[in-house]
Amino acid sequence: MRVEEFAYHLPEELIAQTPLQERDEARLLVLDKETGDLEHKHFYHVLDYLEKGDTLVLNDTKVLPARLIGEKYDTKAVIEVLLLKNVEKDIWECLTKPARRIKEGVIVSFGDGRLKAKCIEVGEEGIRKYEFLYNGIFYEILDSLGTMPLPPYIHQKLEDASMYQTVYAKEIGSAAAPTAGLHFTKELLSKIKDKGVNICSVTLHVGLGTFRPVNVEKIEEHEMHSEYYTMSQESADLLNKTRECGHKIISVGTTSCRVLETIASKNNGIFKCESGFTTIFIYPGYRFQGIDTLITNFHLPKSTLLMLVSALAGVENVLEAYRVAVDEKYRFFSFGDAMLIK
């Protein structure tokens, strides 16, 4: 398939720049993946589409203040480093701008030397591996020096960093938020539990693989970067029981979906306790084995996430839903409105 098949027109004013103060008052476009029928709701109506015995799957990753602005130790040139993936202990894979200035052995200093990063490997597309040098606790230093890594299409400053975290974020390690989960409040999750719906968590630390642009003409030639995931035995048991009892598995976001499909596709639809790195790339033609329903935001044109959604609901259905969303002036992307694909 060609990347151009996943293009759509989006007026710039529909790209949400700030989060809603009331998370669950975002709009919700409900798409029936079999018929293509659409309903216009608000996010708190998601409760109406969940039934007793179903299982809602959350990605409990927590976003790092992963964007660091520093300077080359020798020339004082300004360097931006975005932490993407913890390879081991103090070694991180990072996106670097301008990358051409950073060769192996170069040191970048942050916060007057409180934190230093020594380049130990040069990769492609701006990727560098650094060994971080510091005294104290790394995450405490990062909290004081780093900022939230908002996507480049968001130009307004985020006044409250907690609005770029889900209310259930727990496992620190993401370079971006699992944004479908931003719409949930603790009160809404409580109502969902009260209805008899199960809730479980998986972890996928969002890295470059999720938001990297597709730079090939044929999507089959695109290679995903790896992202760390884990599923507990408790979650695996609950998901298998949900399947056995004939209930639905509802994935909150494409990140949860990628964990579920990574595991289910390897084990003939069975879930297992496991962790590792996934490079799964889901596009039309893929046969889903892990999820029945998907809650997601609106995704960028020609992106791997739009391809994933199209694999679930069909390219025509999805592009028509997006056309309607544009006409109805839904808010798009990370701080935007949501879709439920059932």
Side-chain angles (χ1 to χ4, degrees):
M1 298 186 75
R2 292 171 57 251
V3 175
E4 286 298 323
E5 295 175 50
F6 299 89
Y8 68 89
H9 171 66
L10 180 67
E12 192 169 342
E13 63 267 21
L14 295 184
I15 300 174
Q17 293 297 309
T18 55
L20 294 181
Q21 287 305 304
E22 301 298 330
R23 293 173 181 255
D24 63 353
E25 289 188 2
R27 295 166 77 189
L28 179 70
L29 184 62
V30 181
L31 169 62
D32 186 314
K33 61 180 181 281
E34 304 299 331
T35 65
D37 291 345
L38 297 169
E39 300 173 78
H40 300 282
K41 301 286 185 177
H42 283 91
F43 194 80
Y44 48 78
H45 290 125
V46 77
L47 191 62
D48 300 337
Y49 298 90
L50 306 176
E51 298 173 359
K52 184 177 180 179
D54 290 346
T55 297
L56 187 74
V57 186
L58 312 174
N59 179 7
D60 65 4
T61 189
K62 191 171 185 178
V63 186
L64 290 161
R67 183 173 179 262
L68 291 163
I69 305 295
E71 56 184 28
K72 274 184 76 175
Y73 207 59
D74 49 0
T75 67
K76 306 302 181 185
V78 175
I79 304 293
E80 178 181 332
V81 172
L82 177 65
L83 278 67
L84 293 176
K85 185 166 67 180
N86 186 204
V87 180
E88 57 176 300
K89 201 169 182 291
D90 292 323
I91 296 173
W92 287 77
E93 186 178 273
C94 303
L95 189 62
T96 305
K97 294 179 185 178
R100 68 182 184 279
R101 293 182 178 270
I102 305 299
K103 313 294 184 192
E104 204 168 304
V106 167
I107 293 175
V108 183
S109 175
F110 309 96
D112 295 324
R114 284 182 61 204
L115 182 65
K116 295 175 185 173
K118 181 181 179 181
C119 179
I120 60 172
E121 187 178 312
V122 173
E124 297 179 349
E125 299 179 346
I127 300 295
R128 299 289 185 271
K129 271 187 192 169
Y130 295 96
E131 179 181 6
F132 281 89
L133 312 167
Y134 55 91
N135 290 314
I137 299 171
F138 178 72
Y139 289 117
E140 287 184 1
I141 296 169
L142 192 63
D143 271 338
S144 66
L145 298 179
T147 58
M148 280 296 181
L150 295 180
Y153 49 76
I154 293 177
H155 308 298
Q156 291 193 29
K157 186 182 178 185
L158 182 63
E159 298 299 333
D160 179 0
S162 71
M163 295 302 286
Y164 195 59
Q165 298 278 20
T166 62
V167 297
Y168 47 80
K170 185 173 68 171
E171 302 294 335
I172 194 161
S174 269
T179 54
L182 295 179
H183 302 291
F184 286 92
T185 63
K186 289 181 178 178
E187 293 76 17
L188 180 57
L189 288 168
S190 181
K191 288 178 183 177
I192 288 168
K193 280 184 180 175
D194 289 345
K195 192 173 181 178
V197 177
N198 305 300
I199 298 177
C200 74
S201 295
V202 296
T203 303
L204 183 132
H205 291 322
V206 187
L208 191 64
T210 293
F211 51 83
R212 178 175 167 237
V214 180
N215 293 320
V216 293
E217 286 188 17
K218 295 179 181 176
I219 66 175
E220 295 86 353
E221 296 171 359
H222 177 70
E223 292 185 13
M224 298 285 282
H225 279 253
S226 66
E227 294 171 311
Y228 177 80
Y229 73 92
T230 185
M231 177 182 285
S232 67
Q233 188 64 56
E234 183 182 8
S235 290
D237 290 345
L238 177 57
L239 290 163
N240 288 326
K241 184 180 177 184
T242 303
R243 273 274 183 266
E244 289 164 13
C245 295
H247 296 296
K248 296 194 301 293
I249 293 172
I250 299 98
S251 172
V252 176
T254 55
T255 58
S256 299
C257 173
R258 293 180 72 237
V259 176
L260 295 168
E261 292 300 328
T262 293
I263 296 172
S265 64
K266 287 193 294 187
N267 301 296
N268 295 317
I270 304 298
F271 297 102
K272 294 186 176 180
C273 169
E274 65 173 58
S275 60
F277 288 88
T278 181
T279 57
I280 192 169
F281 180 20
I282 298 172
Y283 55 85
Y286 177 85
R287 186 172 71 87
F288 285 82
Q289 297 185 65
I291 75 166
D292 302 294
T293 299
L294 177 66
I295 296 168
T296 187
N297 277 20
F298 292 95
H299 303 295
L300 278 73
K302 305 181 187 178
S303 64
T304 59
L305 302 183
L306 183 58
M307 294 167 193
L308 184 155
V309 170
S310 298
L312 182 64
V315 179
E316 287 185 14
N317 285 345
V318 169
L319 290 181
E320 174 61 15
Y322 273 51
R323 186 193 65 76
V324 170
V326 168
D327 285 349
E328 297 292 328
K329 294 187 167 37
Y330 275 70
R331 301 164 77 247
F332 277 66
F333 305 160
S334 294
F335 288 142
D337 296 318
M339 286 185 76
L340 185 146
I341 300 172
K342 64 184 182 77

